[in-house]
Amino acid sequence: MSFLNRRTTLAALGAALTTLMAGSALAQQTVTLRLHQFLPPQAPIPSKALVPWAKKIEAESGGRIKVQLFHAMQMGGTPPQLFDQARDGVADLTWTVLGYTPGRFNKSEVFELPFMGGVSEQSSRAFQEYVEKFAADEFRSVKLIAVHTHGPGLFHTKQPVTGLESLRGMKIRGGSRIINNMLGKLGATPVGMPVPAVTEALSKGVIDGTTIPWEVTPSLKITELVKNHTTFAGKEGLFTQTFAFTMNRAAYDKLPADLKKVIDNNSGVETAAMFGRVMDEADKVGRDIAVKAGNNIVALDVAETQRWRRTAGAVEADWVKEMKGKNIDGAKLASEARALIAKHAK
């Protein structure tokens, strides 16, 4: 072998060895992902969904993925900025309420329409399937881990809401533009704010009550601040809010294939259902706390609930009309959403 050929062969072997070593290093690399969300760590979703999800990711990656959790906006910003924090890489993962950024997730909003959702696990499965089929484009700037809903929405108020008339004039917190539109049509004065602000707003008299599910009432001390809770006949709540658990696209793309698979295996409909189950269990806990506190739980009957349904129905008409102006067939999407909810309720 000539000197030139020997040198070429050695160079090729060296390059192959370097590539092999680089591939081995890539396969063994440890990645730390920062997960940012807006609730205190003891709240149900952080403690019983996000933490277990993080531990599962760490275990299935053999410890090569570490998830560092930042609760209650510890990384800065406000809850409405969380989706963009994931998109822009401020955080690697975020969990947030889609309704905090009004007008942005138009097709996903259908699940916020009055009396659309119910049992969270079922609604969350339906919502995940719906987004994958009809609204995936609204999440193309991120890697979507899962979307989900909470359970039946209800009122928590200082004065009892025993019918439509008693709600009129009350300043009620709403968590999205759809819910605020509904509150206005029902006769209340809507006050929009993210859920972490509710405790202070109630204690200072800024609002007379709030719309949230039972699930989050313990962490916000709602049953101490108000003594009245109004529920509706049937499995559907008066309203539903939607949530998204998302990952920075670049952070996902730079993972080696086997670690991408770990993320993929913990994304999608079963992850959405897991978040929904946590919501459902927490609803029971929140309601039990109110019962044990001796609070007044008003259960509206079927006839009164129908009055609310008829009055709130104008919200869906408004939404369908607005979507038409954006070349979106809102009526079709509402029909598809209800079909998926019915499918997963079986």
Side-chain angles (χ1 to χ4, degrees):
M1 182 183 291
S2 70
F3 175 74
L4 184 59
N5 285 341
R6 190 183 308 116
R7 191 167 69 175
T8 303
T9 303
L10 287 172
L13 285 170
L17 184 60
T18 299
T19 301
L20 184 64
M21 288 173 68
S24 177
L26 183 66
Q28 296 304 314
Q29 72 178 346
T30 298
V31 178
T32 299
L33 301 176
R34 299 156 301 157
L35 196 168
H36 196 202
Q37 61 87 29
F38 60 93
L39 287 178
Q42 71 272 20
I45 288 294
S47 63
K48 295 189 168 116
L50 294 175
V51 167
W53 184 89
K55 287 180 178 176
K56 195 164 182 282
I57 290 291
E58 291 179 1
E60 291 180 12
S61 68
R64 288 166 53 214
I65 298 178
K66 305 289 184 186
V67 181
Q68 190 175 7
L69 283 94
F70 295 87
H71 303 290
M73 303 307 301
Q74 286 175 314
M75 292 180 69
T78 63
Q81 295 170 336
L82 279 166
F83 186 89
D84 285 344
Q85 287 188 358
R87 183 197 66 186
D88 300 338
V90 174
D92 302 300
L93 295 151
T94 63
W95 174 75
T96 192
V97 176
L98 293 177
Y100 288 171
T101 47
R104 183 167 182 177
F105 300 95
N106 292 303
K107 289 178 277 190
S108 300
E109 273 185 336
V110 69
F111 271 73
E112 296 179 12
L113 294 173
F115 296 100
M116 179 64 79
V119 177
S120 181
E121 181 177 354
Q122 296 169 359
S123 291
S124 296
R125 285 182 181 275
F127 187 35
Q128 179 73 30
E129 187 174 342
Y130 171 90
V131 165
E132 289 175 5
K133 286 183 176 179
F134 303 108
D137 59 308
E138 295 184 342
F139 299 91
R140 62 175 174 260
S141 63
V142 295
K143 160 71 176 174
L144 181 63
I145 304 297
V147 292
H148 69 99
T149 72
H150 62 50
L154 66 149
F155 286 106
H156 311 269
T157 53
K158 294 180 179 180
Q159 299 299 318
V161 175
T162 56
L164 266 175
E165 290 74 18
S166 56
L167 183 68
R168 285 174 189 156
M170 281 193 187
K171 293 176 291 183
I172 304 292
R173 174 264 177 186
S176 74
R177 73 188 193 100
I178 297 285
I179 294 168
N180 286 332
N181 184 25
M182 176 192 69
L183 289 172
K185 284 187 163 47
L186 292 170
T189 300
V191 182
M193 67 178 70
V195 76
V198 168
T199 305
E200 184 178 4
L202 277 172
S203 63
K204 290 186 174 179
V206 174
I207 54 176
D208 301 311
T210 184
T211 53
I212 52 173
W214 285 114
E215 163 264 328
V216 77
T217 55
S219 58
L220 297 178
K221 304 187 185 305
I222 298 301
T223 52
E224 300 169 30
L225 292 166
V226 304
K227 297 300 177 184
N228 300 282
H229 315 273
T230 299
T231 65
F232 296 82
K235 290 184 178 179
E236 302 89 0
L238 174 65
F239 65 93
T240 310
Q241 289 216 251
T242 57
F243 303 78
F245 184 25
T246 57
M247 183 174 182
N248 175 259
R249 173 59 66 179
Y252 173 79
D253 287 344
K254 70 185 180 185
L255 292 174
D258 61 333
L259 294 189
K260 281 181 182 172
K261 190 169 188 302
V262 172
I263 299 293
D264 292 344
N265 289 347
N266 290 280
S267 302
V269 70
E270 292 306 322
T271 300
M274 181 269 286
F275 276 73
R277 283 193 298 275
V278 169
M279 289 286 200
D280 288 332
E281 287 303 312
D283 275 347
K284 295 174 190 173
V285 172
R287 191 181 191 282
D288 285 347
I289 289 172
V291 170
K292 287 174 184 173
N295 284 11
N296 176 35
I297 299 177
V298 178
L300 299 181
D301 63 20
V302 174
E304 181 61 25
T305 297
Q306 279 302 115
R307 291 182 67 214
W308 291 70
R309 283 179 179 271
R310 286 192 296 270
T311 304
V315 177
E316 184 165 334
D318 286 351
W319 183 80
V320 168
K321 183 179 178 181
E322 183 187 355
M323 291 304 104
K324 187 175 181 181
K326 297 180 179 183
N327 295 316
I328 296 170
D329 188 342
K332 179 179 184 296
L333 292 181
S335 177
E336 296 284 2
R338 289 194 173 93
L340 286 169
I341 289 170
K343 168 188 168 183
H344 289 286
K346 292 175 182 176

